[in-house]
Amino acid sequence: MCVSDAYVGELVDRLTTCGAEVEVLVYSVPELTSRHQWRQTLTYVHKLLHQSGVYFLLAGTRATAMNTLARVNSFDRGSDRTTNFRHLSHWLVLTDVSAPQRLLPAVDSLENVVLVALPTQHQRIARIGELVDFLGSGIGARFNLTSQELKGKSDTELKEDVVGYIKKLLDDHKDTLNMYTLTEVRHMARFARVHAKDIPHSGLGNKLFPNKKYKWNGVRLLISTKPWPGYVEKSTVANKTAYSGMCIDLLHSMVDAVNFTYTIEEVEDGEWGALVNGSWTGLVRQLKDRVIDIALADIGIHASRDAVMDFIYPAYKTEDIDILYRLHNETDLSLKDLTTPLQPIVLVTIAVCLGVVTVLYVVVEYADILLETRWRPRQLPVLLWKAVWYMLGSILSQGGSLRARSCSGRMLVSSWWLFCLVFAAMYNANLTVSFCVQRTVTPFSSLEEMLRTSDYTWGMFNGSINTLLFGTSRNPLFKETYKRMMEFTKTDPGVLSKDLDSQLHRVINSKYAFISSRNTLKVMVERAPKGVVLTTVGETIHPSGVALGVPTDSPLLPELEWVMRNIQETGIMQHWDSQYWNTTPKATAAFRLGGEPLPLTKLTSIFLITGFGLSTALFVLVIESVFQKILTKARKK
């Protein structure tokens, strides 16, 4: 094709402009003789320019071009996930090659390569050398120089010189050159011819580098995860492992946005990442050792973690740390429960009323008997005894066979019965409620109060953000919480169990408090058996953001953060949050219509009361029988 001034100018403009400033690095390839020099040079170039894309103009012989491309081609595989020349580098290669397909082995791991096949005349090669010499002498050095280090040349002047010499090299319209671009890298890579008529006057990138429109072009990434409710949930479908959850939705959005494939594996030790004896565990260790590309889990953001890995910001969720414990109910009935509806002052008042009414009744009735001379006078002790039992029976809604003879006595008894009926109704209602409604005991209402309890232990998931936060914090409450928890582990290592069901079992069956994020605590409340009431303190102990992670200085980070920002700004994240974390609290009824079957253990004290009453009655019966026999013998004598 014929390369015009405009095309060459725009090509070089695109290939030498990165962001707002022009950064031009010029290297003499023949002087990069050792592997160390190549590694140092390519690492420096990538670190400096990778966020805007790395643009290369390679001019030289076929051997030089193939050697350079081959070194860059294999560089990513040995860079420990620190470079991404495959997707981020763009190459304009000017060399004397008649069969471009011969260069394919040298670019099988690159995606954006444009090849300009120069004629093989010696003068052309000489003029390529002339270009290199000019650039070297014009800039004043051949290594590690940026536009800010030019000697007397501005960015614009340097770019104009480069454009001018490229146009001079290609000789403008005099020669017809062949231009090829790398295509079909996902299937069978090949160099395809590019025609002048197909290249517009703007947007050269999509035509010269067609693979750019496929983003990461289906590259396979290794992803490690930790299954956790709501975030990554593991299931088996048709004998195959399947994952779902908020993190998986995030992953699918990233795949759609930047086009990659992936393999998911689970972290071996089942931890998010904790610092143990100077070494990291879990997902953080994998990122630090650079053995994975992405950590897909609810990794809590912490400064110590950020020092050995990179979080993908913005954080996709904020977790509030809280405390979960069981509300223990007073289920066993006792003698004290019979007086629970009444305050002590009420009991004293009723006893006084009983005594007063009994005495008044005896006085009224005995006075009436004395006035009635035709009636046989009753013995005062007998009347008092019967009055006492009658008034006491009235309180218990039982009454007796005693009948008032006087009008004043009947009025007194009627008033007493009205009082007893109202009292019995109120007492029965309150007693019924005290039996039906579960009485709960709140042991503490804050972290500080929990530390003051002596009968509770507590724990958290080992390797979680909580162990890291409490273990490294300077907050006195946090330090004391962690210190005492470590003391608990000496007798009960299970307080640091990583299993959710194991921690739930401890909360249900013992006086044990569990510290974790509220979303995790909600899951535990949902899994609690029927009739078990779990609750949280309600204190926001510490808010902690959670995010995905990549190895430090990962070239994947800029585009993944771009995807995260778009998800946040479009409201998709809020939709997922409401989908996987329903914020509506779970209703826990104090009692239900019809109640629940009473267990035998709940009635033990009632049976004891009944047994005590029967035993007392039998004892009195024996005493009465003996006393009656003594009286009978006395009368016979």
Side-chain angles (χ1 to χ4, degrees), residues 129-189:
E130 180 185 349
L131 170 65
V132 174
D133 293 338
F134 167 79
L135 294 176
S137 60
I139 295 177
R142 289 172 289 181
F143 299 99
N144 301 337
L145 290 180
T146 65
S147 56
Q148 284 79 7
E149 297 171 311
L150 296 178
K151 295 183 178 180
K153 284 186 177 289
S154 65
D155 295 344
T156 303
E157 290 174 337
L158 174 66
K159 190 159 53 176
E160 288 176 353
D161 287 340
V162 174
V163 171
Y165 267 80
I166 290 292
K167 287 191 290 186
K168 182 180 179 182
L169 176 67
L170 300 179
D171 205 16
D172 293 344
H173 300 282
K174 293 181 181 180
D175 297 327
T176 299
L177 302 176
N178 296 321
M179 183 178 290
Y180 304 89
T181 185
L182 191 62
T183 62
E184 301 293 335
V185 294
R186 289 189 61 185
H187 307 289
M188 184 177 293

Side-chain angles (χ1 to χ4, degrees), residues 315-547:
Y316 64 87
K317 190 168 180 60
T318 300
E319 295 274 23
D320 293 328
I321 299 175
D322 207 337
I323 305 173
L324 181 74
Y325 63 92
R326 179 179 179 179
L327 288 175
H328 292 279
N329 304 315
E330 296 179 353
T331 56
D332 295 336
L333 300 181
S334 62
L335 293 174
K336 182 181 177 182
D337 291 320
L338 296 178
T339 61
T340 299
L342 304 176
Q343 294 182 355
I345 186 63
V346 176
L347 292 174
V348 173
T349 303
I350 292 174
V352 171
C353 290
L354 176 63
V356 172
V357 170
T358 301
V359 171
L360 286 176
Y361 178 79
V362 171
V363 171
V364 170
E365 284 295 296
Y366 194 71
D368 185 72
I369 292 174
L370 293 177
L371 292 174
E372 290 287 339
T373 55
R374 59 179 181 172
W375 289 353
R376 183 180 177 182
R378 297 181 178 180
Q379 295 181 357
L380 183 61
V382 174
L383 179 60
L384 181 60
W385 178 254
K386 289 185 177 182
V388 170
W389 280 106
Y390 180 79
M391 297 303 174
L392 185 60
S394 300
I395 294 179
L396 301 177
S397 301
Q398 298 300 316
S401 60
L402 184 64
R403 293 183 181 181
R405 292 181 176 274
S406 64
C407 179
S408 57
R410 287 192 291 270
M411 292 180 65
L412 180 62
V413 170
S414 298
S415 300
W416 178 248
W417 265 106
L418 181 61
F419 168 79
C420 291
L421 289 174
V422 174
F423 167 74
M426 295 178 65
Y427 174 81
N428 289 334
N430 281 275
L431 186 64
T432 301
V433 170
S434 67
F435 285 169
C436 293
V437 177
Q438 296 176 337
R439 294 183 299 279
T440 57
V441 178
T442 302
F444 47 82
S445 59
S446 66
L447 178 65
E448 186 176 2
E449 291 183 8
M450 184 185 75
L451 293 175
R452 290 200 294 262
T453 62
S454 58
D455 54 346
Y456 265 78
T457 59
W458 53 84
M460 55 188 68
F461 291 122
N462 193 22
S464 66
I465 184 65
N466 301 320
T467 56
L468 196 59
L469 175 66
F470 282 79
T472 60
S473 176
R474 296 182 180 180
N475 185 317
L477 291 179
F478 289 8
K479 292 173 65 176
E480 180 66 17
T481 301
Y482 188 80
K483 176 184 176 182
R484 290 177 58 182
M485 184 178 67
M486 290 296 102
E487 293 175 357
F488 299 153
T489 60
K490 297 177 182 178
T491 56
D492 184 10
V495 298
L496 288 177
S497 172
K498 295 176 284 189
D499 183 65
L500 188 145
D501 292 327
S502 174
Q503 294 285 10
L504 177 60
H505 182 268
R506 291 175 178 274
V507 173
I508 293 174
N509 295 286
S510 61
K511 289 188 175 181
Y512 178 78
F514 182 65
I515 304 173
S516 187
S517 66
R518 280 191 183 142
N519 286 326
T520 298
L521 300 184
K522 287 179 184 178
V523 173
M524 298 176 74
V525 171
E526 295 286 339
R527 293 188 180 184
K530 183 180 178 181
V532 174
V533 181
L534 304 181
T535 188
T536 59
V537 168
E539 177 187 22
T540 300
I541 297 175
H542 189 276
S544 175
V546 294

